[in-house]
Amino acid sequence: MICVAAGLYVLSQQSATQKWWQKVSLKLPVFGPLIRSRMNVQFSQTLGNLLSNGLPLSQAFQLTKTAVGQGYARDRLAEVESRIVEGGSLHQAMERTNLFSGNLIDSVRIGEETGTLSESIQKSGARLDRDFAASIERLMSLIQPVIIILIALVVGGISYMLISIIYDTMGLLRSRT
């Protein structure tokens, strides 16, 4: 058992395993959209701030890529960066990664077309941040009833076992007399 735990620990520390888990976590039913949403918020706020401070898109994107916590996402952003360096548009490169929300991609497209990329990304980041906060609040409001039901089931199960033991003991005592 200890060997299995040690093996899983060593395996989890490897870069390839971490990237695989990060990719899988983006597809989880409840938490995947939350992880993706948080990553979109972090990306848009960081890139928007860097662009509004006057950095060119290639440098701002390179710094934003390093700020993203997930290794899998960083690899996907490296692909976007290479397309930007080659002269491609940011929104088309973002579409190919399947990491970004449609609203963020649309904001980037509009920002590229109108020449207000930093403002567009910052506004989109603020909207995504509000949506993320609302999603967290909804999730937290669902967790509380689930925890109450689980506690009720555990207490009910323990109560049933105790009452069963008491009745069985009483039955044994009656049969002896």
Side-chain angles (χ1 to χ4, degrees):
M1 187 64 147
I2 294 173
C3 291
V4 171
L8 288 175
Y9 176 76
V10 169
L11 188 64
S12 71
Q13 299 303 310
Q14 294 181 1
S15 177
T17 306
Q18 288 176 348
K19 288 179 184 176
W20 172 82
W21 172 247
Q22 291 165 356
K23 181 179 179 181
V24 168
S25 69
L26 290 173
K27 296 177 184 176
L28 293 175
V30 174
F31 298 105
L34 285 176
I35 294 169
R36 187 181 306 270
S37 177
R38 180 63 194 140
M39 188 177 48
N40 282 317
V41 169
Q42 184 181 14
F43 172 82
S44 59
Q45 288 178 341
T46 305
L47 185 61
N49 286 334
L50 291 172
L51 289 173
S52 68
N53 286 324
L55 277 158
L57 179 60
S58 60
Q59 287 179 335
F61 199 85
Q62 187 175 28
L63 291 171
T64 302
K65 181 183 71 172
T66 59
V68 172
Q70 273 202 338
Y72 171 74
R74 220 176 295 127
D75 290 347
R76 301 296 293 177
L77 290 175
E79 296 172 16
V80 173
E81 183 182 19
S82 67
R83 289 190 178 109
I84 292 171
V85 170
E86 292 171 359
S89 68
L90 178 58
H91 78 275
Q92 288 176 342
M94 288 171 63
E95 282 177 338
R96 293 184 179 138
T97 63
N98 295 325
L99 289 177
F100 301 103
S101 70
N103 291 337
L104 179 57
I105 292 171
D106 289 340
S107 294
V108 169
R109 182 182 50 78
I110 290 169
E112 286 179 325
E113 290 173 359
T114 60
T116 58
L117 184 60
S118 65
E119 294 172 19
S120 180
I121 290 176
Q122 285 180 323
K123 287 179 183 177
S124 181
R127 185 178 59 249
L128 288 170
D129 193 28
R130 285 191 304 272
D131 293 346
F132 177 71
S135 297
I136 292 293
E137 286 181 26
R138 280 193 302 270
L139 181 65
M140 295 308 286
S141 69
L142 291 175
I143 287 176
Q144 185 178 13
V146 169
I147 289 174
I148 291 171
I149 290 170
L150 288 174
I151 290 173
L153 289 173
V154 168
V155 169
I158 291 171
S159 300
Y160 175 76
M161 289 188 323
L162 289 173
I163 291 172
S164 295
I165 291 171
I166 291 171
Y167 279 127
D168 289 344
T169 305
M170 290 176 63
L172 284 172
L173 290 174
R174 284 188 190 141
S175 67
R176 289 187 180 177
T177 57

